[in-house]
Amino acid sequence: MQAESKVNILLVDDKPENLLALKVILADLEENLVQATSGEEALRYLLHQDFAVILLDVQMPGMDGFEAASLIRSRQKSRQTPIIFLTAFSTDDNMQFKGYAAGAVDYLLKPIDQHILTSKVKIFVELYKKSEALKQQAQQLAILNSELKQSEERFRSLSTSSPVGIFEIDHQGNCTYTNPRYQAICNITAAECLDKSWLEFVEADDRDAATTSWLNYLSQGNEYTQEFRFLFKEDIVRWLRVRCTPMLRTDGSIQGHVGTIEDITDQKNAEATRAQMFREQAARQEAEAANKMKDEFLAILSHELRTPLTAMLGWSKILRTKKLDEQGTSRALDAIERNAIAQTQLIEDILDVSRIIRGQLRLNLGVVDLQLIITAALDAVRPQAEMKNLQLDICLDDHVGKVSGDAVRLQQVISNLLTNAVKFTPKNGKVEVTLKRVETSWVEIAVKDTGIGIEAEFLPKVFERFRQADSSTTRSQNGLGLGLAIVHHLVELHKGSISAVSPGKGQGATFTVKLPLLQNKHHHLNAGNMSSSASALLPLAGLRILIVDDEVDNRNFLSFIIQEQGANVTAVTSADEALAVLKEIQPDVLISDICMPGEDGYTLIKKIRTLPVETGQKIPAIALTACSHEEDCAQALNAGFHEYISKPFEPSDLITRITKIARLS
């Protein structure tokens, strides 16, 4: 802490011994004692220094103490300086009166009592110090007020000339200040700003999101930054960026919020224009790539079709023109047959792609045993694998269960994957095939090879039509590049998924197919049934349906007609039970009655739409109700249902609706 500075005390006496005596008496005060031997010398000191108190001898040659006191009092700077007269002579009242009239605050007679003198001087010293402290505080306060005034003027200037709108709200959310730019952006007066929130100008489509995010900000107190469309007078729509941050008191509590609004319409328009340019550029590049890819495909197609024709025509002419022995004839016929089969497969692939493009590829559904399918596919590729001395590792789970699907198409999927694995794996390599149950209700088929692998940049394109990693005339393998695209489409038709992974070129690849297991345990169709009647009788095969209805008869009826169509049904009596079931399983479709005790169907679907995606948020849903008014239908759809069916209804209509919305899952 800085030591307190000493104050000045002026001692005026023409006799040095008196000055020395005063200096000794006042030494304990530890202040700065200034000595003057005449009134003139005292006045000279007063020109340059301030004094807490003056001890002034009355009887001095030349200018006496009374004259000196009068001159001291005549100066503005020393007018209030306390003067104590010291004298050894007259003690009459006239002399004391003259001294007080000259401006003295006290009049002491010599010899002076040192304790009295010290106490009196000490009082004036303390008064002086307090006065100086008050002056310093006053100066500091004046400086602070000046700085505050400058700060206020600077804020007012910045706020007035700010290119963004500024607003201030209190802790309750009421607007307390807006700057001119805010008023200009919103096209309202300063008085109107105090009654209207910026939320009132947000366009209707964005208002719910804006209100929700704003209320979350007010409750949580984090920084706020959002962009919304604002609708102003004359139906003018502008994009604005809203920012806000809390204003905190010294104790950390929120006393209000300060925010800005900024017109970013030009920026948004520029971004939209730039995005459109990028889209158009990407579309052009994609079109150019597609045209190049089609040209390459046509060249490959021509090559692939002409190659077997060359062999077939060549051997046919040899058979016509030359008489071959039995071995030669057999060799010729084998070559013709082999190339005819290869060409037939090429044509089938082209036809399949054509059906896929037109949306005309249909499945002939039945109950399929995947073990049989995989075994048959393995038997077909085993000769080629043995020719290359490939090791086939097979691991098939005997208890994996069955799937609903088209046995022919599923065998096509497995055969294609196995054929590729054998084709692209060099001699003495290995191909692994596994079948296992995953995630309770799914089955996984994996085909892994030690072949040429797939480069990272081509991996995302491996299932695209007309795509081949090598489309040059020097490519090492034949084919049109359609097989994996067909496989991908067939797996998706079975509501499954397929993925491909590869560590890189020369490090092999793994293709994994996931299919939903058939959950219905009451049908007894034979595995591999592919008849059209099976497809017609089981349009809901493999689907998991959740029924919610408090009426037991209705519940049983719904369960019966839906199970008859091959679905796996779970039936519950209330909204609470339905929510509990959703935590355990993932149904493909929800069918709910509207009028139920406790929570009705509207409440149930609203709760479901707030759940996480993995627990049923987007589940396709059908509402059943005895009410048939148009407003009832609208209410059901607005609540979150996809379909609305009035009671009584035709079972076939319900089945059709289920089949329709099941595609959404």
Side-chain angles (χ1 to χ4, degrees):
M1 183 175 179
Q2 187 175 0
E4 189 179 42
S5 61
K6 295 181 178 182
V7 301
N8 298 323
I9 300 173
L10 182 59
L11 310 178
V12 187
D13 198 303
D14 62 305
K15 292 182 170 51
E17 61 271 20
N18 290 340
L19 290 174
L20 179 59
L22 290 173
K23 189 173 181 181
V24 172
I25 292 171
L26 300 176
D28 290 342
L29 295 179
E30 296 183 352
E31 303 295 348
N32 187 31
L33 303 176
V34 180
Q35 303 175 59
T37 58
S38 66
E40 292 85 349
E41 187 179 6
L43 290 172
R44 284 196 296 271
Y45 279 125
L46 286 165
L47 290 174
H48 306 291
Q49 293 176 275
D50 294 328
F51 295 91
V53 61
I54 301 172
L55 303 182
L56 183 59
D57 185 35
V58 174
Q59 298 297 330
M60 291 184 297
M63 182 186 296
D64 63 14
F66 295 132
E67 292 175 319
S70 296
L71 291 173
I72 290 171
R73 287 286 178 262
S74 67
R75 295 179 67 252
Q76 179 67 31
K77 189 175 182 181
S78 58
R79 181 170 295 169
Q80 302 298 327
T81 304
I83 300 174
I84 299 176
F85 277 123
L86 306 176
T87 183
F89 296 100
S90 176
T91 60
D92 60 32
D93 293 339
N94 288 332
M95 289 295 290
Q96 292 188 24
F97 179 76
K98 186 177 180 180
Y100 288 125
V105 297
D106 210 340
Y107 197 99
L108 300 178
L109 297 175
K110 300 176 181 178
I112 299 169
D113 187 320
Q114 63 179 5
H115 297 295
I116 294 175
L117 179 62
T118 301
S119 63
K120 288 181 179 289
V121 171
K122 186 176 182 180
I123 290 173
F124 288 118
V125 168
E126 291 176 353
L127 288 173
Y128 180 83
K129 289 181 177 180
K130 290 180 180 179
S131 176
E132 288 299 309
L134 289 173
K135 286 181 182 178
Q136 290 181 2
Q137 291 177 3
Q139 290 175 354
Q140 292 174 356
L141 183 60
I143 293 172
L144 289 174
N145 286 336
S146 176
E147 291 176 350
L148 179 61
K149 184 177 180 181
Q150 292 177 3
S151 177
E152 290 176 347
E153 290 176 352
R154 185 163 55 251
F155 170 77
R156 188 178 298 107
S157 176
L158 289 172
S159 176
T160 301
S161 59
S162 173
V164 298
I166 301 173
F167 64 90
E168 183 180 336
I169 61 174
D170 59 22
H171 185 57
Q172 287 73 34
N174 302 313
C175 184
T176 57
Y177 170 79
T178 60
N179 73 333
R181 180 58 180 162
Y182 180 101
Q183 299 154 22
I185 290 175
C186 297
N187 195 22
I188 57 176
T189 65
E192 290 175 321
C193 289
L194 302 181
D195 296 327
K196 290 187 176 182
S197 167
W198 61 267
L199 286 169
E200 298 181 41
F201 299 101
V202 177
E203 192 181 39
D205 291 343
D206 293 352
R207 191 169 299 157
D208 287 344
T211 301
T212 300
S213 63
W214 182 245
L215 292 178
N216 288 338
Y217 160 73
L218 292 179
S219 64
Q220 297 173 5
N222 299 324
E223 290 192 1
Y224 181 82
T225 301
Q226 295 290 340
E227 297 174 358
F228 302 108
R229 291 169 295 175
F230 281 56
L231 179 63
F232 298 114
K233 296 176 182 178
E234 300 178 357
D235 294 333
I236 297 175
V237 177
R238 309 285 292 176
W239 273 97
L240 296 186
R241 179 184 291 121
V242 182
R243 292 176 173 156
C244 200
T245 189
M247 295 188 297
L248 305 179
R249 299 185 181 93
T250 55
D251 61 0
S253 61
I254 296 178
Q255 68 175 6
H257 306 264
V258 61
T260 63
I261 59 173
E262 182 181 3
D263 192 328
I264 57 171
T265 305
D266 293 341
Q267 175 185 332
K268 285 289 186 180
N269 290 340
E271 290 175 357
T273 301
R274 186 164 55 252
Q276 179 63 24
M277 291 174 59
F278 286 149
R279 286 194 296 269
E280 291 175 354
Q281 182 180 4
R284 285 195 298 270
Q285 292 175 347
E286 187 176 348
E288 291 170 359
N291 288 333
K292 180 181 178 182
M293 190 166 56
K294 289 177 182 177
D295 290 343
E296 292 174 350
F297 172 73
L298 289 175
I300 293 171
L301 175 62
S302 175
H303 173 270
E304 293 297 318
L305 290 176
R306 288 176 181 273
T307 297
L309 281 175
T310 301
M312 288 188 288
L313 290 174
W315 281 110
S316 297
K317 289 182 178 179
I318 290 174
L319 288 173
R320 282 181 176 274
T321 58
K322 294 183 178 181
K323 188 174 181 180
L324 301 176
D325 58 18
E326 183 177 349
Q327 184 178 359
T329 302
S330 177
R331 179 184 176 192
L333 293 175
D334 286 344
I336 293 172
E337 182 181 12
R338 185 169 57 252
N339 282 277
I341 292 173
Q343 191 172 58
T344 301
Q345 185 59 51
L346 292 174
I347 295 171
E348 286 298 326
D349 284 350
I350 295 171
L351 292 176
D352 277 347
V353 170
S354 176
R355 295 186 191 104
I356 290 171
I357 293 173
R358 297 197 311 271
Q360 294 180 347
L361 196 153
R362 298 287 184 267
L363 298 181
N364 198 4
L365 294 175
V367 180
V368 179
D369 187 331
L370 290 175
Q371 278 191 301
L372 298 177
I373 295 295
I374 296 173
T375 301
L378 283 167
D379 290 341
V381 300
R382 201 177 299 276
Q384 290 86 354
E386 290 175 351
M387 288 177 60
K388 300 176 73 173
N389 196 30
L390 299 182
Q391 177 183 339
L392 292 179
D393 289 348
I394 304 165
C395 182
L396 308 181
D397 186 349
D398 294 334
H399 306 289
V400 75
K402 296 180 174 60
V403 299
S404 172
D406 187 322
V408 173
R409 291 300 184 179
L410 286 176
Q411 184 162 341
Q412 181 181 357
V413 168
I414 307 302
S415 295
N416 190 293
L417 296 179
L418 287 172
T419 300
N420 280 352
V422 171
K423 180 195 298 186
F424 294 109
T425 300
K427 291 182 178 180
N428 303 315
K430 182 171 68 173
V431 175
E432 299 178 13
V433 183
T434 59
L435 171 68
K436 62 182 180 180
R437 192 170 190 150
V438 293
E439 300 173 11
T440 305
S441 57
W442 291 81
V443 63
E444 181 179 282
I445 307 162
V447 178
K448 181 179 181 181
D449 63 62
T450 58
I452 63 174
I454 305 171
E455 294 184 352
E457 59 269 20
F458 185 72
L459 201 56
K461 306 170 185 177
V462 72
F463 295 112
E464 294 180 13
R465 290 193 297 270
F466 311 123
R467 288 278 191 180
Q468 294 193 75
D470 181 7
S471 58
S472 67
T473 56
T474 61
R475 60 202 177 104
S476 59
Q477 300 293 343
N478 296 329
L480 298 178
L482 298 178
L484 289 178
I486 296 170
V487 164
H488 183 266
H489 186 76
L490 289 175
V491 171
E492 287 192 336
L493 282 182
H494 284 84
K495 298 185 179 179
S497 64
I498 183 171
S499 61
V501 294
S502 174
K505 189 174 182 180
Q507 300 183 61
T510 302
F511 288 83
T512 304
V513 176
K514 287 179 66 176
L515 297 170
L517 282 167
L518 189 60
Q519 299 298 315
N520 182 20
K521 300 179 182 179
H522 300 290
H523 57 74
H524 302 286
L525 294 177
N526 293 326
N529 190 329
M530 301 176 290
S531 67
S532 59
S533 60
S535 175
L537 289 174
L538 295 173
L540 306 183
L543 289 181
R544 300 181 299 277
I545 311 294
L546 174 59
I547 297 173
V548 188
D549 197 314
D550 61 303
E551 291 290 340
V552 63
D553 291 336
N554 290 340
R555 196 165 59 249
N556 291 338
F557 170 67
L558 288 168
S559 299
F560 177 80
I561 62 173
I562 293 173
Q563 285 177 338
E564 283 290 295
Q565 305 305 317
N568 181 38
V569 174
T570 301
V572 297
T573 63
S574 66
D576 288 340
E577 290 184 32
L579 293 171
V581 168
L582 286 173
K583 294 180 181 179
E584 302 297 329
I585 64 174
Q586 293 182 346
D588 298 304
V589 177
L590 167 71
I591 301 172
S592 176
D593 188 28
I594 292 298
C595 298
M596 295 185 293
E599 293 183 337
D600 59 14
Y602 298 131
T603 304
L604 171 61
I605 196 64
K606 289 176 181 178
K607 285 187 175 182
I608 289 175
R609 296 307 180 218
T610 63
L611 295 174
V613 173
E614 63 269 18
T615 54
Q617 180 198 79
K618 295 185 178 182
I619 182 174
I622 298 174
L624 297 178
T625 178
C627 302
S628 59
H629 295 96
E630 185 174 347
E631 56 268 27
D632 297 318
C633 176
Q635 184 178 357
L637 298 178
N638 290 335
F641 285 100
H642 295 87
E643 291 283 347
Y644 169 93
I645 300 178
S646 298
K647 300 176 183 178
F649 55 84
E650 288 292 332
S652 59
D653 183 36
L654 175 62
I655 301 305
T656 300
R657 301 284 190 98
I658 295 173
T659 305
K660 173 184 175 183
I661 70 166
R663 300 170 187 166
L664 302 176
S665 60

